[in-house]
Structure formats: structure tokens, C-alpha cells
Amino acid sequence: MSGGGWSWLGWALAAILFFWGIGAYNRLMRLRNAIGEAFRQLDQALTARAEACSKLLTLLRPLLANEQATFEALETAQLEASSAAQAARAKPYAGDPLAALAVATAVHGAALTRLNSLVEHHGELSGMSELHALLDELKLIERQRAFARQVFNQAVSQYNEALQQFPTRILAGLYGFAEARSL
């Protein structure tokens, strides 16, 4: 084979590698954007949960004056979850903000469970239709949040799997892609 033949083969190989690199980058960007879209759905559910909890606190605070510690715990957990969600909005595929969000939503869920238990133990509240409507709304929101969390985790899983596939993992570091964290 002459020198010109090797040159042509070298250019063809370089072109194949170049276009493969662009394809790998575009695939990872598409999958990372899917994480962002899934997070927006989860964020909407978290926002709806915070709004419903605020309404619930407004309703219950005057009725159960001696349970202020429970209300304060839920408010504090709600503020932490909102703050963690705010931090995660910019880069929902980054590990640290999502770790903080996972902890904050777990604490918020525990505080909300405590409040639900408190409501169940106060029989005098059983006839309040507004309270039951809010609790039903919260149950629906929790199911939506659980589904949105599952969709988010699936998007993260697909991205992480693509990131680990050979030969994409070779270029992932060059492109600045890192493994995403699930919730």
C-alpha cells in the first residue's frame, strides 16, 4: 500500500472517531437533559406537597395549640426540603445537592407522618371535611411524588448505564460527564 493509501485510511479513521465522539456526547447530553425534565416533575410534586402542608398547618395550628413542636418540626423540615430542592434545580444530576435533597425529603416525610398520626389520635378532628380534603390531597400528592421519583431514578439509571458503556466511558471524562445520583 502506498503512502497515499495510508493517509486516506488515517483520515477515514479520524473522521469515524470524530463523529463517534460527537454522537457519544449528544447521547449523554440527551440523557442528562432527561434527568432535568424528570426532576422538574419531581420538583412540581415537592412544591405541591409544601403548599398542601402549609394549608394543613394553617388549619391545625389554632385547633391543636399544645402540639406546636410537631408543627415547628414540619415547618423546619419543609424549609430544608425547599432549600435542598432549590440547590438541586440548577444541576439535578449533581451528587451533593441530590444527597441533601434525599435527606431533606426523608425528614419532611417523617414529620408529615408524625402530623398524620397526631391528627388520627385526635378524634375531635374526625368531622372536619376541610381537614380530610387536605389529607386526601396530600395522599394524592405523595403518590405523584413517588411516581415522579421513580421516573427520575430511571432517567438517572439510563444516564449512568450509558456513561459506563465502552467506549463512551473513555470520552466521558473529557466531556466533563460524571455519574448522577438517584433519590
Side-chain angles (χ1 to χ4, degrees):
M1 197 174 232
S2 68
W6 285 110
S7 175
W8 180 84
L9 186 61
W11 280 107
L13 184 59
I16 289 170
L17 289 174
F18 175 75
F19 287 113
W20 164 76
I22 290 174
Y25 175 83
N26 287 339
R27 179 175 181 227
L28 289 174
M29 282 302 294
R30 186 176 60 254
L31 290 169
R32 194 162 79 175
N33 289 339
I35 292 172
E37 182 57 38
F39 184 80
R40 279 187 281 288
Q41 293 173 10
L42 178 63
D43 193 29
Q44 288 173 353
L46 291 173
T47 301
R49 179 172 78 167
E51 290 171 3
C53 284
S54 292
K55 290 177 190 176
L56 188 61
L57 287 171
T58 301
L59 178 66
L60 289 176
R61 197 176 286 278
L63 300 173
L64 301 173
N66 57 345
E67 298 293 346
Q68 296 304 313
T70 301
F71 301 143
E72 289 172 11
L74 182 59
E75 284 176 330
T76 301
Q78 192 168 299
L79 287 173
E80 289 175 14
S82 294
S83 176
Q86 176 77 24
R89 280 184 195 114
K91 291 186 177 181
Y93 45 84
D96 291 341
L98 282 181
L101 180 60
V103 170
T105 56
V107 170
H108 187 271
L112 188 56
T113 299
R114 168 73 178 121
L115 183 65
N116 282 329
S117 177
L118 181 70
V119 168
E120 288 175 9
H121 284 75
H122 283 272
E124 69 273 12
L125 301 175
S126 64
M128 293 183 63
S129 60
E130 185 180 2
L131 175 61
H132 290 291
L134 276 172
L135 292 174
D136 289 343
E137 179 183 352
L138 268 169
K139 288 176 186 174
L140 177 64
I141 291 169
E142 280 301 303
R143 286 193 296 272
Q144 291 169 342
R145 186 191 63 79
F147 178 75
R149 180 177 176 224
Q150 182 181 7
V151 169
F152 175 81
N153 286 339
Q154 287 173 345
V156 167
S157 178
Q158 289 173 348
Y159 169 80
N160 286 340
E161 286 173 12
L163 199 61
Q164 295 303 316
Q165 290 176 347
F166 182 81
T168 303
R169 68 177 162 202
I170 295 170
L171 295 178
L174 293 172
Y175 292 148
F177 290 101
E179 193 165 304
R181 187 185 190 290
S182 60
L183 290 173

